[in-house]
């Protein structure tokens, strides 16, 4: 099995690559990034990261080869490609500037990947996630079962970690589902949260649960506030879990950003929903029962994503 991670000279991409290697089921992980010029020096961040990680293999005990690359020819025949490439928002850069730049990056990266791996499956991590997933979907020309975005596993992991702290229990025993967009319009579903089968609402009072949901929504910002830059361990581990489910045909049920075509009454939009992940990508989009309040929240979330999509289309029209 061959996996490519693009943007792997950066924090999230490098973490995805190492998380995959440490599970030791794949033959190789190709870590692509651009070269960085500083004066008369040229640096190759993903080659450096790959070498450093490969040198940890005797200690960690894995065989998966990690290889840095700049040339997409080296990614040929990848079974899954993860895209974490992008630029962070810099002072003076508007939201639209960022959207335009990252869309351009994701589009060109997707085209290169697809050229060399026409049968691959694409997992998108670059933000704004729901829109970048659409960009990759459109640029690849793939069936939507082969293009998906990573956000739900990360959001759910944060929620489970906070609950585990509050209840002083193992995060492994917490099963949860969050839907919708990544961020403020995330749709929490306490009804679908259990601790080893016990509804979480029997173990925690409503106020505390609400506070945990709010903290989860702002989970990304909490890390930025502490570190001055965005998270990578949990996002990297979450993307690696999607890769594993696909390549090992695990048929796992995860919340992922998937292109909806009528499910939940929403059409032609990438949004976080529970899916069955295995060989070939998304095998099924699961439509869970939502009450009126939950459905309203999901529609609000869809509206917010649709608005960013509209801004993106406007931007593209202006540029063309
Ligand atoms: N081709 C390949 N790699 C690129 C390109 C490109 N055209 N443009 C930028 N990159 C690389 C950068 O060189 C950098 O190494 O993408 C990497 C991004 O890494 P970081 O800046 O460290 O960002 P990171 O924290 O890893 O986040 C990456 O994931 O969670 C999201 O919001 C996050 O969109 C961001 C992405």
């Amino acid at each position: 099995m061959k996996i490519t991670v693009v943007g792997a000279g950066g924090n999230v991409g490098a973490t995805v690559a190492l998380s995959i290697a440490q599970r030791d089921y794949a033959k190789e992980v190709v870590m692509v990034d651009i070269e960085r010029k500083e004066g008369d020096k040229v640096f190759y961040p993903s080659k450096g990261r790959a070498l450093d990680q490969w040198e940890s293999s005797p200690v960690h005990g894995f065989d998966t080869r990690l290889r840095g690359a700049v040339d997409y020819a080296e990614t040929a025949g990848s079974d899954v490609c993860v895209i974490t490439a992008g630029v962070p928002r810099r002072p003076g850069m508007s939201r639209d500037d960022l959207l335009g730049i990252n869309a351009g990056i994701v589009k060109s990266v997707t085209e290169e990947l697809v050229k060399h791996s026409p049968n691959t499956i694409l997992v998108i991590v670059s933000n704004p996630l729901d829109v970048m997933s659409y960009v990759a979907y459109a640029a690849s020309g793939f069936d939507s079962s082969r293009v998906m975005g990573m956000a739900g596993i990360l959001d759910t992991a944060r929620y489970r970690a906070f609950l585990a702290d509050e209840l002083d229990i193992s995060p492994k025993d917490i099963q949860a589902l969050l839907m919708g967009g990544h961020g403020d319009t995330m749709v929490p579903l306490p009804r679908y949260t259990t601790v080893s089968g016990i509804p979480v609402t029997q173990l925690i009072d409503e106020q505390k649960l609400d506070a945990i949901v709010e903290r989860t929504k702002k989970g990304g910002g909490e890390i930025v506030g502490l570190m001055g830059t965005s998270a990578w361990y949990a996002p990297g581990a979450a993307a690696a879990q999607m890769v594993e489910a696909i390549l090992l045909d695990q048929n796992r049920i995860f919340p992922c950003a998937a292109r909806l075509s009528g499910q939940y009454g929403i059409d032609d939009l990438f949004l976080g929903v529970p899916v069955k992940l295995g060989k070939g990508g998304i095998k099924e989009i699961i439509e869970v029962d939502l009450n009126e309040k939950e459905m309203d929240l999901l529609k609000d979330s869809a509206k917010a994503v649709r608005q960013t999509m509209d801004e993106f289309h406007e931007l593209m029209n202006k540029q063309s």
Side-chain angles (χ1 to χ4, degrees):
M1 286 172 225
K2 179 172 176 174
I3 298 136
T4 287
V5 182
V6 186
N11 290 325
V12 177
T15 308
V16 177
L18 186 61
S19 303
I20 293 168
Q22 285 178 323
R23 304 285 293 173
D24 205 18
Y25 59 85
K27 180 80 183 152
E28 64 175 326
V29 181
V30 180
M31 298 169 65
V32 178
D33 210 301
I34 46 179
E35 52 185 42
R36 198 178 72 232
K37 292 200 173 89
E38 278 179 30
D40 54 359
K41 283 215 168 75
V42 185
F43 294 100
Y44 297 91
S46 72
K47 290 190 181 185
R49 295 261 205 180
L51 181 61
D52 189 14
Q53 294 187 355
W54 174 238
E55 287 167 359
S56 79
S57 67
V59 181
H60 282 306
F62 61 76
D63 295 318
T64 302
R65 291 292 193 277
L66 293 147
R67 200 152 51 83
V70 175
D71 185 346
Y72 283 82
E74 294 189 46
T75 69
S78 293
D79 299 289
V80 175
C81 296
V82 182
I83 302 179
T84 71
V87 295
R89 189 158 160 186
R90 295 197 189 90
M93 197 188 263
S94 74
R95 211 176 110 84
D96 275 2
D97 291 340
L98 185 76
L99 192 63
I101 293 169
N102 279 349
I105 292 173
V106 170
K107 181 172 183 283
S108 66
V109 165
T110 302
E111 286 166 354
E112 284 293 335
L113 290 172
V114 167
K115 207 190 300 171
H116 294 92
S117 304
N119 299 317
T120 197
I121 292 166
L122 297 169
V123 176
I124 315 304
V125 184
S126 309
N127 273 318
L129 196 264
D130 309 281
V131 177
M132 293 307 130
S133 300
Y134 201 98
V135 170
Y137 163 70
S140 65
F142 284 177
D143 183 85
S144 55
S145 59
R146 289 205 279 144
V147 186
M148 66 208 76
M150 187 296 294
I153 300 180
L154 169 63
D155 294 331
T156 314
R158 285 180 171 148
Y159 175 62
R160 290 165 65 198
F162 300 154
L163 271 174
D165 269 348
E166 178 61 36
L167 298 171
D168 192 22
I169 56 169
S170 165
K172 287 183 278 198
D173 288 334
I174 302 172
Q175 297 288 322
L177 176 63
L178 298 171
M179 289 172 58
H182 188 38
D184 277 352
T185 64
M186 179 188 305
V187 181
L189 297 168
R191 271 190 327 128
Y192 289 105
T193 305
T194 64
V195 177
S196 292
I198 306 162
V200 75
T201 43
Q202 291 183 20
L203 304 173
I204 188 169
D205 67 48
E206 207 179 315
Q207 234 179 348
K208 281 192 177 141
L209 191 57
D210 285 349
I212 285 176
V213 165
E214 282 314 303
R215 187 177 175 197
T216 305
K217 285 185 185 174
K218 298 181 169 53
E222 184 177 357
I223 302 278
V224 173
L226 290 167
M227 300 201 300
T229 184
S230 51
W232 60 84
Y233 294 115
Q241 193 170 43
M242 289 172 70
V243 173
E244 181 173 317
I246 295 165
L247 288 178
L248 301 186
D249 194 20
Q250 289 171 332
N251 287 350
R252 295 211 54 184
I253 311 294
F254 288 133
C256 297
R259 180 178 172 269
L260 299 180
S261 50
Q263 298 90 342
Y264 298 99
I266 300 164
D267 194 36
D268 197 28
L269 202 68
F270 274 79
L271 201 64
V273 288
V275 303
K276 182 167 157 185
L277 262 197
K279 191 166 184 246
I282 296 176
K283 292 186 177 181
E284 192 185 335
I285 291 177
I286 297 165
E287 288 191 80
V288 294
D289 283 339
L290 297 179
N291 61 30
E292 210 181 307
K293 193 174 154 214
E294 292 159 347
M295 191 53 109
D296 284 347
L297 288 174
L298 189 68
K299 297 263 153 136
D300 285 348
S301 196
K303 212 156 106 187
V305 175
R306 182 116 29 220
Q307 209 175 328
T308 318
M309 280 299 298
D310 289 345
E311 286 165 23
F312 163 71
H313 285 308
E314 249 176 61
L315 207 65
M316 294 298 110
N317 287 341
K318 255 191 245 166
Q319 282 174 7
S320 62

